[in-house]
Amino acid sequence: MSQSGRPSAELQQLVADVDTGGRAASGFSGAVISVVAIAWSLWQLWYASPLPFSLGFGLLNDTEARALHVALALFLGFLAYPGSRRRGVRYRVPVSDWLMAFAAAFAGAYLLLFYNELATRPGVPITQDIVVATVGMVLLLEATRRAVGLPMTILALVFLAYIFLGPWLPDVVSHKGASLERMISHMWLTTEGVYGVALGVSVSFIFIYVLFGSLLDRAGAGNYMMQVAFAALGHLRGGPAKVAVVSSGLNGLISGSSVSNVVSGGIFTIPLMKKAGYGGVKAGAIETASSVNGQIMPPVMGAAAFLMVEYVGIPYSDIVKHAFLPALISYIALFYIVHLEALKLGMNPSAARRPRSMRERALGWGFGLSGTIVVCALVYWIALGAQQLFGANAIWITGGLLLVTHVALLRDAARNPDLPQDIDIDNPVLPDTWPTVRAGLHFLVPIGVLIWCLMIEQLSPALSAFWATATLIALMLTQRPILAFFRGTGKLDAWRTGVREVVRGLNDGARNMIGIGIATATAGIIVGGITLTGLGFRMTDFVEVVSQGNVIVMLLFTAFVCLVLGLGVPTTANYILVASLMAPVIVELGAQNGLIIPLIAVHLFVFYYGIMGDITPPVGLATFAAAAISGEDPIQTGIQGSLYALRTVVLPFVFVFNPALLLIDVHGWWEVALVAFAAIVASLTFAAATMAWFRVRCRWWEVVALLVATFALFRPDYFIDRIAAPHFEVPAARIFDVAKNLGPGDRLALVIRGTRLEGDEVRKTVGVQLRGEPGDGRRRLEEAGLTVTALGDQVQIANVRFGSRAKRNGFEIGWTVGGVLVPTERPSMHWVYIPALLLVALLWWGQGRRMPQPEPIQPA
């Protein structure tokens, strides 16, 4: 790291190589890259907005939009990512790259340019189609090697080879194979391969959220969150590490890149942690563990989270709701881990803050918190009131309210000096917390718009992000002129600065999307190989043989696959591959063993283990970035980071078996609060056990006791299930009565029987979440995608709607309903929390007796 507190040239190059393209071309080439990138961002904004439908202009269907998206990604991929690491090609674009860029763009846009012609010959490609598609496939693989990495390219080639070699493979994975013409047509000329679901999500959701994050960072929100964390926590014991954890969690709101998060915050926090006494290895590991977890922090999660909308079939707002508590407790546990490290190392606060009396601190926090709560409550209730009174015209009231709020916050910020752009590593002095918070509260306006649109208005993810991005652009264009107005300084330069920030943010957003766009296109090759060969059906048998029907073994096998793939494949591609192959298998085999595993739990399981690839040695890119800053060995940093990440590693196993952690089957705010409290305490006790330190160093039996308490708090259902079964079975004929009385969000659980394609008789337990208020049972089932027919005591599944919740949860057409599972009247699982918390309190008290007592002050 450079002494100026800025990333060194090597670190900047690492971030560029991973996120935006390592080529720093200037002149005509650089201008073309920037212009195309900005145009791409503007088109994606247009595509996400309601304007094409309102104006009847610029409308593209899904296939045409995907073709344009991949064409632009490939064009920029060849221009922004050099084909080799030779120094010369990093600063110029060779003629060969120009030729490949134009050829790849034409091949990528082929479905857009010849859409009508291709529609007249489905499945019967002509020679031109085959040639263009073949060239496109080859150039896509080369672009993948450059932008994503060689392992992803090799993985795609393996699946292509599998398509052709099927007849000569062992029986368990063999298939009849496919011709070159059929493979090329499937992959490039339909939406089953490259232009499949993954690329569609990249077009519809991922780009606009990445753009939102890039603009927010350009506006100064990333630095604001770092400064707020430093002001609030820098004075604590182990303060720099706590700043790293909190600022990375906040930065996760705007950036889904682990490497970028490490570098942007780590250039300050890692040297401060080393100075405080953590040592280089632990400092790098703490920054890595906290930055990687930014991908699981709602509302703007990693790119793979948006794919869940399509794979799981639920709104993004539901994914945010399910993912929030695990992400929160993961960060709280890491915060506690760095506190325990500080206690073990005997640290003292390393940064001083202006001395303040207890009364001053209490007044500052009291006015700050109460004022923030009052303002948020007023905005919320005024917006709701406007909706009730003005209906469709409420958007103008809400827009005016946002404008007034924006100006008021900027007026308040103008009274405080601008935040510094860095932290003095050698002589850190803490600013006051609330003046620092007030200096950037206007950055929260677009985030608030995003959350409002997602969670309250229930708009689509793309439309929610559009309105948030539009608000953010307006903020960026006006924040400096308004600040200049209130401070009485010049205004023209402020306007120009705002325009430059918006343009650079548009460029950054597109550059950050090149690798993601190419990765999702290449992942389509893998998914297309699975659908063309039927590999997904064979995986059920394969995994069943490997796990012998044991769900724990099956989950361990899935986690192992994710970690191995994570050594060379980015998180998004890792998720696509494992979710396509393994998620349905886990749900199916769990059902055959009488266990209803929510589909969202399995997909979050895969997602969590996918991001671990950025930490785990020997290839974790985030670890290498942190080690480059700390000057320590990346392997040792990765091992230490993996130990800190154990709290995240254990969470997926918990919420697969206890979906209450995902707020599934949890009713009322009191139960949400109870589950959240127990889960947070469990994460703290697990952290203490892994660190072997609670209040003092733990003895072996105390570690065991902490783990027992952790298990009881995370899995209270395990103990209650030993007392009474969770369900009892009633006749299938009562299915409509049971569905009628279930509450909103409750799951209907059924035992169904049927015959598989191989002729085997199968019995499995399946469930589907019912939406809406209690009412007509038949209607509620149909809304979930399930149609059943009842003839006397016989109940049969007549239809399962394609793509519905029922279809994704394993319901089969023609199968017989053997019984309906109804919850039993048994003690609440929350009673288990009492002995678990008593055990924790006993350990706390016992260790307190071993703590060294302060020496008494001798009288003078």
Side-chain angles (χ1 to χ4, degrees), residues 766-792:
V766 291
V768 64
Q769 207 171 29
L770 300 183
R771 305 276 175 83
E773 296 298 324
D776 184 352
R778 189 183 295 273
R779 179 189 55 79
R780 298 185 78 191
L781 290 176
E782 290 175 352
E783 192 273 334
L786 191 64
T787 303
V788 298
T789 57
L791 184 61

Side-chain angles (χ1 to χ4, degrees), residues 211-213 215-216 219 443 446 467-477:
L211 178 61
F212 176 73
L215 287 167
L216 202 54
F443 292 126
W467 287 117
T469 305
T471 304
L472 176 56
I473 291 174
L475 179 149
M476 294 174 71
L477 292 174

Side-chain angles (χ1 to χ4, degrees), residues 729-752:
E729 190 172 319
V730 300
R734 292 187 55 190
I735 183 172
F736 298 122
D737 291 334
V738 175
K740 174 183 176 181
N741 296 317
L742 287 175
D746 284 352
R747 279 185 296 174
L748 174 70
L750 305 177
V751 178
I752 62 175

Side-chain angles (χ1 to χ4, degrees), residues 546-566:
V546 171
S547 66
Q548 293 298 304
N550 187 295
V551 177
I552 293 289
V553 176
M554 186 167 39
L555 292 172
L556 288 171
F557 176 74
T558 304
F560 175 75
V561 171
C562 289
L563 292 175
V564 170
L565 285 174

